Amino acid sequence: MARTAAALIIGNEILTGKVREANVQRLAHELFRMGIALKRVIVCPDDIETIATDLRALRAAHDLVFTSGGVGPTHDDLTLPAVARAFDRALVRSPVIEALIRGHWGERVTEGHLRMADVPDGADLLQTNEVPWPVVSIENVFVLPGVPEIFEVKLLMLRERIGADVPFVSRALYTMCDEGEVAALLQTIVGAHPGVEVGSYPRWRDPTYSVKITFDGRDPARVDAALEACRAALAPELIVRVE
């Protein structure tokens, strides 16, 4: 079976709409390519006990957990203290991260900057020559920043550490159908093709297509068979393209 993953997105700015969340899509896309199934996403506020409670539940139920946000220098950056609480560990200052911080800010360094060097006791610091600022990791939890550009760089750096499973295959059929018209057909396809997940996604007021039907699985032959069965059941004029 595929390993499972969950994401914990942390920040009042997400819950109040001040910032558009972008990291779940990046994470989901990368995990799908690696053959790891993202099963759960939780968005929680900047509150230590809430973060810790959510993290305990997610890490107990999934093989991997990725957090996003709350690792900066300000008063509402509470992810690392919350992770420490979730694991019942003390928060200690990392000499490695402290040296990086002092080297970067020099004489302008503040205690706020140095707070970012406080990590749960015993945490692993994952870094490379290309990405010297480490990702904090404890058991099956990986703590990532909320800034999308930095999140992506650090996520890609983790690929070798996490390791890939058998990758998923995804095919798509773009149609001019109505979802109600194909509902029964898709139910039949699902029943006849175990191991293939079928999705249906309508498009509103798009002249190029009206419903995108997707076929996902680990076995390319099974995925292709499900797609071909669906295509054969539709009138040719309803099919826009296959990807």
Side-chain angles (χ1 to χ4, degrees), residues 113-171:
H113 292 130
L114 293 174
R115 280 187 66 238
M116 294 188 291
D118 293 340
V119 302
D121 192 19
D124 292 324
L125 303 181
L126 310 179
Q127 58 191 141
T128 65
N129 291 333
E130 294 76 22
V131 187
W133 291 86
V135 172
V136 176
S137 171
I138 308 177
E139 296 182 13
N140 62 336
V141 175
F142 300 88
V143 181
L144 296 171
V147 177
E149 295 79 7
I150 306 175
F151 179 95
E152 185 170 21
V153 168
K154 293 199 170 187
L155 177 62
L156 295 179
M157 182 264 285
L158 291 174
R159 283 186 296 190
E160 185 174 346
R161 169 65 178 256
I162 295 169
D165 295 344
V166 177
F168 290 105
V169 177
S170 185
R171 299 289 304 278

Side-chain angles (χ1 to χ4, degrees), residues 173-177 208-213 234 238-240:
L173 184 64
Y174 293 80
T175 77
M176 297 305 295
C177 299
T208 61
Y209 75 94
S210 57
V211 173
K212 175 185 177 183
I213 305 170
L234 297 174
L238 294 177
I239 298 172
V240 177

Side-chain angles (χ1 to χ4, degrees), residues 30-168:
E30 188 62 28
L31 292 177
F32 189 85
R33 291 179 58 196
M34 297 170 67
I36 299 170
L38 181 61
K39 291 293 189 179
R40 189 79 184 275
V41 176
I42 293 178
V43 182
C44 72
D46 298 308
D47 176 77
I48 288 180
E49 194 53 50
T50 301
I51 298 168
T53 299
D54 287 340
L55 186 58
R56 289 188 195 104
L58 291 176
R59 74 182 186 89
H62 300 84
D63 297 305
L64 304 167
V65 179
F66 301 85
T67 73
S68 168
V71 294
T74 59
H75 68 284
D76 57 350
D77 289 308
L78 302 173
T79 298
L80 286 167
V83 172
R85 182 170 298 186
F87 282 88
D88 295 319
R89 300 190 186 189
L91 200 65
V92 298
R93 183 148 295 180
S94 162
V96 172
I97 301 179
E98 180 177 357
L100 288 169
I101 291 171
R102 291 188 181 278
H104 181 77
W105 274 281
E107 295 181 355
R108 296 184 297 123
V109 71
T110 67
E111 182 56 30
H113 292 130
L114 293 174
R115 280 187 66 238
M116 294 188 291
D118 293 340
V119 302
D121 192 19
D124 292 324
L125 303 181
L126 310 179
Q127 58 191 141
T128 65
N129 291 333
E130 294 76 22
V131 187
W133 291 86
V135 172
V136 176
S137 171
I138 308 177
E139 296 182 13
N140 62 336
V141 175
F142 300 88
V143 181
L144 296 171
V147 177
E149 295 79 7
I150 306 175
F151 179 95
E152 185 170 21
V153 168
K154 293 199 170 187
L155 177 62
L156 295 179
M157 182 264 285
L158 291 174
R159 283 186 296 190
E160 185 174 346
R161 169 65 178 256
I162 295 169
D165 295 344
V166 177
F168 290 105

